[in-house]
Amino acid sequence: MTSATSVEPQDESLLCYCTMLTIGELRAACQAGRWPLRGKENTGKLCTACVGDLLYCLRRFGVDASL
Amino acid sequence: MSSNLSALMSATFYERGYDHHVEIIHQRDAEARRRLESLEVTLYDGAGALLATPKVDPARDILDLRALVTDATRSPERVMVVLDARYDEAIFPYRPHHYAYLHRAGSTAPPLYYAVNAVLGGVPDRVGATNINNFETYVFRQGPFEQRYSLLLGCLARFVPVTAQVFTYYGSRRVTHDVTLAPKCHAEIPLAAEDAGERLARVEVKSLFRLLSYVVGRRADTGDLVLFDHLFTYAK
């Protein structure tokens, strides 16, 4: 993975299409110290296409995340 | 209809001069019950620039990509067509499947029929599947090469670039290429038909984050597509 884009994550956007997690839900969970949310534990682990975006958002929302 | 909407993002590539029709819903449906709740289509050029967001009716059965792309953009280059669907899990317990017909107008090459690559949401959590799907393989038949082979790769990530390793196998030799694609970028990666006298036997794509990927073959003389297929995941 190289440098990221400057696109701002929008809360209404769907982040994980397998668990139906939105960016807003992720942001709120991170701010409340409640990540991973119950029922969303498999986020990023299924089709794997959102893993990079998930790590990017977690770091943006203050969670120290890595693979 | 239940309130449990699920999501699937699939994508393919459109090239000028081809008749290209996507069957939005492939599953048999005698009662015409199976339809998407919504379908958003976006078109991107190779550099990841958004070309158009043509409106489509999610109830339609067939999407004519030739008409869609031609009406939406004058770009003569290959276009990545992204299909972002919402569907009711009560109607599609696994997920909808999109298939597509592809044929260059006027070509004597046979038409192709392929499964549109599901990239985001292909493994809905409720199904409970656990196999990895970001390591994919394609095995080439060992007939005489009258085709040029390549990979078409696309990045559907929103924020970060994705790096993939492409392995090609020639006898016992393996050749590795690294490919990095920024969000919404796409590229064609040529695959040499021979290396050190050995024929191309297999290609693998390995990426931490799943990419849109197709293996394609073009007639050596005309360039017409004669192979357009997704790669396969093999679980051991």
Side-chain angles (χ1 to χ4, degrees):
Chain A
M1 187 168 67
T2 57
S3 62
T5 74
S6 58
V7 176
E8 184 63 27
Q10 300 296 312
D11 281 356
E12 65 277 15
S13 297
L14 195 55
L15 178 66
C16 178
Y17 279 55
C18 294
T19 63
M20 300 299 288
L21 177 79
T22 66
I23 286 174
E25 289 172 317
L26 179 64
R27 188 195 303 270
C30 291
Q31 288 171 349
R34 290 191 295 112
W35 180 255
L37 286 169
R38 183 180 296 177
K40 305 290 184 181
E41 297 89 345
N42 286 329
T43 294
K45 299 175 183 172
L46 296 165
C47 80
T48 73
C50 73
V51 180
D53 289 335
L54 173 65
L55 292 175
Y56 172 83
C57 289
L58 285 171
R59 290 169 187 156
R60 283 288 300 266
F61 304 153
V63 173
D64 184 20
S66 61
L67 285 172
Chain B
M1 183 186 82
S2 82
S3 60
N4 294 324
L5 287 188
S6 298
L8 178 69
M9 182 178 282
S10 311
T12 186
F13 296 100
Y14 177 78
E15 296 186 3
R16 293 278 174 181
Y18 282 84
D19 293 324
H20 200 153
H21 299 272
V22 175
E23 188 182 24
I24 297 299
I25 301 298
H26 176 68
Q27 287 95 328
R28 291 187 63 186
D29 183 11
E31 298 174 359
R33 201 170 59 97
R34 290 180 175 152
R35 48 156 289 177
L36 301 176
E37 290 301 315
S38 68
L39 179 64
E40 292 185 3
V41 179
T42 45
L43 311 179
Y44 296 92
D45 71 10
L50 177 64
L51 297 171
T53 55
K55 298 296 178 201
V56 296
D57 178 358
R60 67 193 306 173
D61 293 329
I62 304 290
L63 203 56
D64 181 345
L65 293 192
R66 182 175 192 159
L68 191 79
V69 174
T70 303
D71 289 347
T73 172
R74 292 176 170 237
S75 172
E77 299 175 357
R78 180 182 309 110
V79 171
M80 182 167 75
V81 181
V82 179
L83 310 171
D84 191 355
R86 297 291 181 276
Y87 65 94
D88 188 335
E89 69 179 56
I91 296 178
F92 300 96
Y94 176 23
R95 62 173 172 81
H97 295 278
H98 311 315
Y99 280 74
Y101 165 95
L102 175 62
H103 184 247
R104 190 171 203 165
S107 172
T108 58
L112 302 172
Y113 191 64
Y114 69 94
V116 177
N117 204 187
V119 183
L120 276 157
V123 191
D125 199 16
R126 63 181 179 276
V127 173
T130 56
N131 292 338
I132 61 169
N133 70 347
N134 53 355
F135 184 78
E136 300 183 298
T137 299
Y138 192 88
V139 178
F140 294 91
R141 70 183 183 89
Q142 291 301 295
F145 278 124
E146 296 173 350
Q147 303 174 21
R148 292 181 279 112
Y149 291 105
S150 58
L151 283 177
L152 293 178
L153 299 179
C155 177
L156 296 188
R158 276 84 27 115
F159 310 115
V160 294
V162 174
T163 295
Q165 287 181 303
V166 175
F167 303 110
T168 44
Y169 292 85
Y170 304 87
S172 59
R173 248 177 73 75
R174 184 175 83 167
V175 179
T176 305
H177 305 275
D178 288 337
V179 180
T180 298
L181 293 172
K184 304 301 187 293
C185 290
H186 53 94
E188 181 164 14
I189 314 298
L191 306 175
E194 289 190 3
D195 184 81
E198 297 278 3
R199 297 159 58 89
L200 174 63
R202 186 165 104 236
V203 63
E204 293 171 351
V205 177
K206 183 180 182 183
S207 170
L208 283 174
F209 320 140
R210 181 174 169 76
L211 288 169
L212 167 66
S213 58
Y214 292 97
V215 60
V216 302
R218 301 177 191 276
R219 269 190 178 173
D221 53 355
T222 63
D224 294 355
L225 283 168
V226 288
L227 170 68
F228 193 101
D229 204 355
H230 61 81
L231 288 80
F232 295 85
T233 52
Y234 295 102
K236 292 184 178 178

